[in-house]
Amino acid sequence: MLFRRRKPVTISERLRALLWPRKGLSRGLRYVALRILRLSSSPHSIAVGVAAGAASSFTPFFGLHIVLAVALASIFSGNLIAAAITTALANPVTIPVILTASYEIGTVLTGPQGGTAASGAEIGDMVERLEFTELWGPVFKPMLIGSLPLAIVGALVFYPLAYQAARLFQRRRRRARSQQVEQSS
């Protein structure tokens, strides 16, 4: 084969690359950030899209984050692409943290349903038996209520950050383009 490696990749090298990529984790994050900043929209539109994506990422509606983010962004005149890309905040690493935080905040806001909060073993048993009607009170309701403050805080944190980043990026890009035009003239 023309482009085959001389030395095959071992299983340990594949596992290491799966856990820690060769180029590092920050490379992917920089790519996503630049992809959002390079959108041809106003800084406000990009920031609203990012805030909508961040807010939808803090909800327990897995599988519907992109739909929810695009709906929120279109209601508030945000950039739909920025909203869809930002939903990547809810990934396999952050989902357990988001679920735990939303459940804990929800139980604080609503109080334990039925006298006592359900333990992890009880919740796991109910999920195995697929008794969703029994899960609504002790699990789903507090999680849904607890996700609302998280979503609002996430949107309020990400909007100004995205707005300033988009404004600075677009200003530098305009300045660089005007210098290129002056040099070519």
Side-chain angles (χ1 to χ4, degrees), residues 130-154:
L130 295 175
E131 295 175 4
F132 291 113
T133 55
E134 291 180 19
L135 283 171
W136 171 251
V139 179
F140 291 145
K141 185 178 176 184
M143 197 175 292
L144 185 62
I145 291 172
S147 70
L148 294 177
L150 284 176
I152 291 168
V153 168

Side-chain angles (χ1 to χ4, degrees), residues 4-10 13-14 22:
R4 185 180 301 185
R5 295 173 144 247
R6 286 186 181 179
K7 182 180 170 188
V9 180
T10 64
E13 289 175 354
R14 286 185 186 188
R22 185 178 306 173

Side-chain angles (χ1 to χ4, degrees), residues 10-90:
T10 64
I11 292 174
S12 62
E13 289 175 354
R14 286 185 186 188
L15 288 174
R16 188 204 55 80
L18 181 68
L19 297 174
W20 192 267
R22 185 178 306 173
K23 303 266 184 177
L25 294 174
S26 64
R27 184 175 188 210
L29 295 174
R30 274 185 307 197
Y31 172 77
V32 169
L34 284 174
R35 179 67 189 103
I36 291 172
L37 292 175
R38 288 180 180 150
L39 293 171
S40 60
S41 286
S42 69
H44 172 72
S45 176
I46 292 172
V48 168
V50 168
S56 71
S57 294
F58 288 113
T59 63
F61 302 121
F62 302 113
L64 298 175
H65 284 158
I66 292 177
V67 173
L68 183 61
V70 167
L72 284 172
S74 64
I75 289 170
F76 294 109
S77 301
N79 190 295
L80 304 180
I81 296 171
I85 291 173
T86 311
T87 59
L89 289 172

Side-chain angles (χ1 to χ4, degrees), residues 93-175:
V93 174
T94 60
I95 284 174
V97 175
I98 292 170
L99 287 178
T100 304
S102 64
Y103 178 73
E104 293 297 327
I105 291 171
T107 55
V108 167
L109 293 176
T110 62
Q113 302 292 321
T116 60
S119 69
E122 292 171 350
I123 293 170
D125 187 43
M126 285 187 254
V127 169
E128 282 180 11
R129 290 182 284 146
L130 295 175
E131 295 175 4
F132 291 113
T133 55
E134 291 180 19
L135 283 171
W136 171 251
V139 179
F140 291 145
K141 185 178 176 184
M143 197 175 292
L144 185 62
I145 291 172
S147 70
L148 294 177
L150 284 176
I152 291 168
V153 168
L156 291 176
V157 166
F158 278 95
Y159 177 83
L161 294 174
Y163 182 81
Q164 289 299 324
R167 191 173 60 82
L168 289 173
F169 185 83
Q170 289 178 359
R171 183 184 300 159
R172 287 181 185 164
R173 185 179 244 187
R174 276 193 303 266
R175 198 175 299 143

